[in-house]
Amino acid sequence: MTDSESVRQDTHPRGTWDDIKELPPSAKLVAKVLEQNEAMTQQTIAEETLLPDRTVRYALNRLDEKNTISSRFSVMDARRQLYTLDINP
């Protein structure tokens, strides 16, 4: 690696399944659904889990607080974010 290459330093380490165990059932359900799928929007998570939109938002916020998910903007629709499970094995 040269000096010109930048090294990304994570300020927050990724979470683990142990972190998810402490969360409410809705967050656990969302985590399991994300584990089985590549990337999902909030709407598709709500459809898959049959949870209300507000509950999905709450679950995603709790998962984000534990650094167990990552999000990026959708290429197909920049207004939407795609969520993926991002945990240490």
Side-chain angles (χ1 to χ4, degrees):
M1 177 162 37
T2 65
D3 290 335
S4 62
E5 292 181 73
S6 64
V7 177
R8 181 176 169 242
Q9 302 247 343
D10 289 329
T11 56
H12 302 287
R14 289 190 298 176
T16 64
W17 279 110
D18 287 336
D19 295 324
I20 293 174
K21 287 180 184 178
E22 303 170 0
L23 298 178
S26 60
K28 292 175 187 174
L29 176 60
V30 170
K32 288 306 271 183
V33 168
L34 287 174
E35 180 185 32
Q36 297 172 356
N37 295 283
E38 292 271 328
M40 300 177 77
T41 64
Q42 181 180 326
Q43 181 180 358
T44 56
I45 293 169
E47 291 169 358
E48 185 74 23
T49 61
L50 302 177
L51 293 172
D53 291 337
R54 184 174 178 176
T55 304
V56 172
R57 271 193 312 273
Y58 174 75
L60 289 170
N61 285 334
R62 296 298 307 268
L63 289 166
D64 189 42
E65 288 171 3
K66 296 291 186 177
N67 299 315
T68 56
I69 61 170
S70 61
S71 64
R72 60 182 166 82
F73 288 104
S74 171
V75 175
M76 301 299 286
D77 185 354
R79 296 171 295 178
R80 298 178 188 250
Q81 290 197 6
L82 294 173
Y83 297 93
T84 55
L85 192 65
D86 187 25
I87 60 171
N88 283 329

